[in-house]
Amino acid sequence: MFKPTILAYGLVLLSPVAIAGVMPLSETRGYDNCLSAAENQTRNLVVEKTYFINEQSKTRTYYLNGLSVREGAWAPVRIACETTNSGNRLLTLNVETGHFAGKLASAEALAQN
């Protein structure tokens, strides 16, 4: 079975504590817009508290894992959303069956590459 792996420079694994107030408002706003749009496309969506994020110069992409009801049963779902850096505008939304597998890279490991 194929498991997609997200590897990108600047990819950061965020903890639930980070969402609670340490992260910039623009990041929280983008996450909320992403989650809202995904909830409009799926039934009974429940997302994991941790998520992956990739910041670029003009956009921010969120990668969320969760569960939703599909064909009458709970199934894993992965959500990818791209927003503006301000988080005000959702640029793309992709909701698919599956689960993102991420790999957290330290700054030292990135510097050695």
Side-chain angles (χ1 to χ4, degrees), residues 23 25 44 112:
M23 299 314 298
L25 180 59
N44 300 325
Q112 291 175 358

Side-chain angles (χ1 to χ4, degrees), residues 61-83:
T61 306
Y62 299 83
Y63 301 94
L64 291 75
N65 289 312
L67 296 171
S68 72
V69 175
R70 295 198 172 202
E71 298 177 13
W74 287 98
V77 64
R78 62 181 180 223
I79 303 157
C81 298
E82 184 178 18
T83 69

Side-chain angles (χ1 to χ4, degrees), residues 13-23 28 31 47-51:
L13 177 63
L14 300 174
S15 69
V17 175
I19 297 170
V22 178
M23 299 314 298
T28 304
Y31 174 86
V47 295
E48 295 177 5
K49 291 183 180 183
T50 56
Y51 61 96

Side-chain angles (χ1 to χ4, degrees), residues 18-100:
I19 297 170
V22 178
M23 299 314 298
L25 180 59
S26 60
E27 186 173 314
T28 304
R29 186 182 311 116
Y31 174 86
D32 291 341
N33 285 336
C34 177
L35 185 57
S36 256
E39 288 173 338
N40 288 335
Q41 275 198 2
T42 59
R43 287 185 46 210
N44 300 325
L45 178 64
V46 177
V47 295
E48 295 177 5
K49 291 183 180 183
T50 56
Y51 61 96
F52 302 92
I53 189 167
N54 185 6
E55 286 189 73
Q56 300 296 320
S57 61
K58 295 183 181 181
T59 62
R60 186 177 283 141
T61 306
Y62 299 83
Y63 301 94
L64 291 75
N65 289 312
L67 296 171
S68 72
V69 175
R70 295 198 172 202
E71 298 177 13
W74 287 98
V77 64
R78 62 181 180 223
I79 303 157
C81 298
E82 184 178 18
T83 69
T84 56
N85 270 342
S86 67
N88 286 327
R89 201 170 54 149
L90 184 69
L91 303 173
T92 63
L93 170 67
N94 189 11
V95 180
E96 299 176 333
T97 301
H99 191 81
F100 288 117

